[in-house]
Amino acid sequence: MPSLLLLAGDGIGPEVMAATERVIDFFNRRGAGFELQRALVGGAAVDAEGDPVSDETLAIGESVDAMLFGAVGGPQYDGLPYEKRPEAGLLRLRKHFELFANIRPAICYPALADASSLKREVVEGLDIVILRELTGGVYFGEPKTIEDIGNGQKRAIDTQIYDTYEIDRIARAAFELARARNGRVTSMEKRNVMKTGVLWREVVEAAHKDGNEDVKLDHMLADSGAMQLVRDPKQFDVIVCDNLFGDLLSDIAAQLTGSLGMLPSASLGAVDSKTGRRRALYEPVHGSAPDIAGKGIANPIAMIASFGMALQYSFGMITEAKALDAAIAATLAEGLRTADIAHGAKAISTDEMTDAILGNLEKAL
Ligand code: IPM
Ligand code: MG
């Protein structure tokens, strides 16, 4: 039976996860047979278990086919030491399961083109993917410290490190992804100031020459890439970049689509040669939104669409994944909006949005 671990987390996490569970139940009523387990993560896990993700939770994660992750964090956790921050739980999950490939699609639904801060013609029909390296770079490089250096001065150090194998595997993932799309990859780095950028480009080029020349490869400096992403985002197909640039560029890409509340993501590991399985965590790009938590008004679309990516990448349920995407698009086309995308028009609740998506799903399948 396909198995899932649900990690709802903090803030609006539990609300959008509950909405997604209704979608999972829908597929179960039709015989999909998803077996669900639940565990705590983030601040909720710190409160109950003393750690933002416990060893027991990681062990459950080992045993399932895929994990769904809601959101973590909240102002009440701001004073916690660095290792106990809710975000540390997410980083530990990424590192523990070596989820090096973070796929962040940015799709502008036609019904929402006016919700973007850019002109309709710039974003309408946008369909790009940011492929972010997720287990290396400055997020994890050591040393990572703040030290006292005397005279009332402190020194903070973060370390950006990339080894050849890390760049090679994300580059190959980019070519594979592009091959199933429009066949174009743009690699972004800062080779003009960073050694990691120099190696990044060199290794991406080598991976391209090694059996991937059917895909068109371009390079851009990441700052200029950020500008191009805002100027003319539709020029891109797949953008591949390191962990920190991917964090920044994917937020830009999110804004192009009109709402952070819309974007799903998949974080994938390598295929295990023994089990044939690929470790995977699916999460919305948005955060825990503490300001609206508990009000029942959060947009569940990014979380539901993240489950849609699980259907596609972990369970090979392509028809179902497409039907779910179509149901979301149809719901938006009907003019239904949660508060984050309503722009002054009448807003519906998380539950009402989920009802509407389920209704359209019923029709789509
Ligand atoms: C993201 C988030 C995380 C990151 C935070 C919550 C640690 O911004 O997934 O983009 O920086 O990777
Ligand atoms: Mg981010």
Side-chain angles (χ1 to χ4, degrees), residues 104 132 139 247 250-251 285:
R104 296 191 161 184
R132 168 186 177 192
Y139 272 65
D247 184 42
S250 61
D251 267 24
V285 174

Side-chain angles (χ1 to χ4, degrees), residues 186-189 200 220 222 225-226 236 239-242 245 249:
T186 309
S187 168
M188 296 189 186
E189 31 58 23
W200 184 276
M220 268 185 201
F236 298 111
I239 294 173
V240 63
C241 54
D242 78 11
F245 292 146
L249 295 172

Side-chain angles (χ1 to χ4, degrees), residues 157-219:
I157 304 177
D158 290 293
T159 308
Q160 165 91 342
I161 305 182
Y162 271 106
D163 290 355
T164 302
Y165 82 95
E166 295 176 286
I167 306 170
D168 180 70
R169 66 185 178 182
I170 195 73
R172 288 178 194 275
F175 296 132
E176 197 184 313
L177 203 57
R179 199 168 279 125
R181 296 174 44 92
N182 294 319
R184 289 183 293 119
V185 168
T186 309
S187 168
M188 296 189 186
E189 31 58 23
K190 283 282 288 178
R191 65 183 177 283
N192 50 352
V193 283
M194 295 169 78
K195 291 291 184 186
T196 47
V198 173
L199 185 65
W200 184 276
R201 176 165 177 153
E202 200 177 294
V203 177
V204 171
E205 288 271 323
H208 185 236
K209 288 210 175 68
D210 183 27
N212 291 299
E213 281 178 313
D214 56 315
V215 173
K216 185 170 180 312
L217 171 66
D218 289 305
H219 302 273

Side-chain angles (χ1 to χ4, degrees), residues 34-352:
F34 285 109
E35 280 172 4
L36 304 183
Q37 298 189 65
R38 296 169 188 82
L40 299 173
V41 72
V46 174
D47 290 342
E49 300 166 348
D51 255 313
V53 62
S54 67
D55 291 342
E56 293 75 47
T57 300
L58 294 178
I60 303 173
E62 296 280 355
S63 72
V64 295
D65 296 319
M67 295 171 275
L68 299 188
F69 180 98
V72 292
Q76 68 272 43
Y77 305 111
D78 280 352
L80 291 176
Y82 192 81
E83 304 70 41
K84 298 278 181 200
R85 287 165 310 138
E87 292 78 9
L90 176 57
L91 298 181
R92 186 165 179 216
L93 281 164
R94 289 174 180 171
K95 195 69 179 173
H96 179 85
F97 292 105
E98 253 200 283
L99 306 170
F100 69 89
N102 182 216
I103 305 174
R104 296 191 161 184
I107 293 171
C108 184
Y109 293 92
L112 279 186
D114 290 321
S116 172
S117 49
L118 298 188
K119 294 193 193 84
R120 173 177 273 275
E121 62 265 27
V122 176
V123 293
E124 191 168 20
L126 179 74
D127 179 358
I128 62 174
V129 173
I130 311 276
L131 181 64
R132 168 186 177 192
E133 199 291 325
L134 202 59
T135 49
V138 75
Y139 272 65
F140 297 100
E142 297 282 349
K144 193 175 191 60
T145 55
I146 300 181
E147 57 194 63
D148 242 307
I149 53 170
N151 289 332
Q153 294 290 302
K154 289 185 185 176
R155 177 172 294 156
I157 304 177
D158 290 293
T159 308
Q160 165 91 342
I161 305 182
Y162 271 106
D163 290 355
T164 302
Y165 82 95
E166 295 176 286
I167 306 170
D168 180 70
R169 66 185 178 182
I170 195 73
R172 288 178 194 275
F175 296 132
E176 197 184 313
L177 203 57
R179 199 168 279 125
R181 296 174 44 92
N182 294 319
R184 289 183 293 119
V185 168
T186 309
S187 168
M188 296 189 186
E189 31 58 23
K190 283 282 288 178
R191 65 183 177 283
N192 50 352
V193 283
M194 295 169 78
K195 291 291 184 186
T196 47
V198 173
L199 185 65
W200 184 276
R201 176 165 177 153
E202 200 177 294
V203 177
V204 171
E205 288 271 323
H208 185 236
K209 288 210 175 68
D210 183 27
N212 291 299
E213 281 178 313
D214 56 315
V215 173
K216 185 170 180 312
L217 171 66
D218 289 305
H219 302 273
M220 268 185 201
L221 294 173
D223 54 345
S224 144
M227 183 269 284
Q228 288 296 338
L229 198 53
V230 178
R231 193 186 71 82
D232 177 21
K234 284 190 262 184
Q235 69 183 289
F236 298 111
D237 181 20
V238 174
I239 294 173
V240 63
C241 54
D242 78 11
N243 205 343
L244 184 59
F245 292 146
D247 184 42
L248 304 176
L249 295 172
S250 61
D251 267 24
I252 297 181
Q255 176 55 27
L256 300 176
T257 69
S259 168
L260 209 50
M262 308 290 301
L263 290 200
S265 88
S267 304
L268 306 178
V271 179
D272 185 311
S273 55
K274 275 185 249 127
T275 62
R277 258 186 22 206
R278 186 166 200 177
R279 296 259 173 238
L281 177 97
Y282 298 89
E283 53 172 305
V285 174
H286 64 68
S288 58
D291 52 324
I292 59 160
K295 296 187 178 161
I297 59 169
N299 186 346
I301 290 180
M303 186 76 244
I304 292 174
S306 296
F307 171 62
M309 292 188 83
L311 290 174
Q312 179 182 353
Y313 289 102
S314 284
F315 301 108
M317 296 170 68
I318 309 297
T319 313
E320 289 81 356
K322 286 200 173 128
L324 188 51
D325 278 346
I328 292 170
T331 305
L332 293 169
E334 285 165 18
L336 299 175
R337 303 282 185 269
T338 43
D340 58 313
I341 49 176
H343 298 277
K346 182 182 168 322
I348 60 173
S349 68
T350 308
D351 278 342
E352 287 163 334

